[in-house]
Amino acid sequence: AVSRSVAQTIMHPANTMKTMLQSSRENTFRELFQPQMFRRLTVGAGANFVLSIPHGAVNFAVLEFVRGRLNAAIESIPFLEERKDVMGPGLDFLSSAISTITCSIVSTPQMMITDNIMAGNYPTLISATTGLYTSRGIMGFYSGWWPGLVGKIPSYALTWTFFQQLKEMRNMISDRPAKNYENTIMGCLASAATVCIMIPMDTIKTRLVTQTSAKVIAGTPYKGIVDCAVRIAQEEGIRTFYRGLAPRLISVVPMIGIQFGVYEAMKRVM
């Protein structure tokens, strides 16, 4: 809970910039990267802080629990235990995927509310919550569940898997426990690789999530993931999928670095 809330709050302005670039064709990186835009980019930071607390708590609790149970199951079977090191990345990916699906109960409403605030569709947490509920009831908070999950499962799983593999490589070099700054650097490297792979899906997710709010994108709404991907490619070009890459890297890379650094530090303290 602490690691997620701290990391997301610190990097909120860059994440807002990414969301604005992905959700609208009018915004440009140069226009948003101006001192006078800082106030606009901090809109929704409070909501993000509050909603990221249960998200982080559930995510890491389930992740550690599932990984531990998978380890126990593997160790109970001699044939699999002999191949435990080879199966490591797959187990990391699977445990993160299960955690992401479980966590979507709380992470999807957070995504729907914060993305719509950052895109400028609602000004505050209360207005976003009320607006989404008024338009579609409780399901208004879960209308972005599928596109969000399609993006988050590989994204979170790849980041966690890369991070664990980097930790193993680092442990082969040194026997001492990794320091906080080393965990932060490894988290940054893991997230940078993942962002470059997953940015097209993140753009699709943002378009689908923000079009369901009060300010629906002009024209025919996207029908789903495939329709959104095809129309973006045909109407705006392939480069549009990567419009949010720079701010995405700026926001996510240090955010995940901070998150993993704080997480490993909190584990030692607790």
Side-chain angles (χ1 to χ4, degrees), residues 1-210:
V2 172
S3 65
R4 184 82 182 182
S5 59
V6 168
Q8 285 205 333
T9 303
I10 292 174
M11 300 312 303
H12 181 80
N15 196 30
T16 301
M17 184 185 297
K18 182 273 302 183
T19 301
M20 292 177 68
L21 286 171
Q22 290 178 327
S23 62
S24 174
R25 308 174 190 181
E26 300 174 357
N27 299 315
T28 65
F29 182 79
R30 179 174 295 182
E31 292 173 351
L32 297 177
F33 201 70
Q34 298 292 329
Q36 62 268 26
M37 289 298 297
F38 181 75
R39 184 178 179 84
R40 170 65 183 87
L41 296 177
T42 58
V43 171
N48 215 359
F49 174 80
V50 172
L51 296 174
S52 64
I53 292 175
H55 182 183
V58 174
N59 182 37
F60 281 111
V62 175
L63 180 59
E64 294 284 5
F65 174 78
V66 172
R67 190 63 169 92
R69 299 299 294 178
L70 289 174
N71 280 340
I74 294 298
E75 291 170 358
S76 66
I77 304 174
F79 175 79
L80 295 179
E81 186 176 16
E82 295 175 359
R83 296 160 176 79
K84 183 178 179 180
D85 292 339
V86 178
M87 298 175 64
L91 295 177
D92 288 329
F93 192 96
L94 178 60
S95 59
S96 181
I98 294 173
S99 172
T100 301
I101 294 171
T102 305
C103 190
S104 66
I105 297 172
V106 294
S107 67
T108 303
Q110 178 196 8
M111 175 188 70
M112 291 296 300
I113 292 171
T114 57
D115 276 12
N116 277 288
I117 293 175
M118 289 187 291
N121 297 325
Y122 298 104
T124 65
L125 172 61
I126 295 176
S127 63
T129 304
T130 303
L132 290 170
Y133 182 79
T134 301
S135 62
R136 295 193 58 183
I138 194 68
M139 293 309 297
F141 299 102
Y142 291 92
S143 58
W145 181 82
W146 178 238
L149 208 57
V150 169
K152 285 180 178 179
I153 288 179
S155 181
Y156 288 3
L158 283 173
T159 302
W160 182 253
T161 302
F162 290 158
F163 178 65
Q164 294 301 321
Q165 293 308 299
L166 287 169
K167 283 174 61 177
E168 288 193 13
M169 292 172 61
R170 184 250 166 224
N171 291 337
M172 292 172 62
I173 300 173
S174 175
D175 293 331
R176 67 169 174 77
K179 295 182 179 180
N180 294 337
Y181 77 88
E182 291 175 320
N183 286 319
T184 297
I185 291 173
M186 289 186 289
C188 288
L189 292 173
S191 61
T194 301
V195 166
C196 292
I197 295 171
M198 295 301 302
I199 188 65
M201 189 61 227
D202 187 69
T203 299
I204 293 170
K205 181 271 295 183
T206 301
R207 285 291 181 93
L208 290 173
V209 167
T210 56

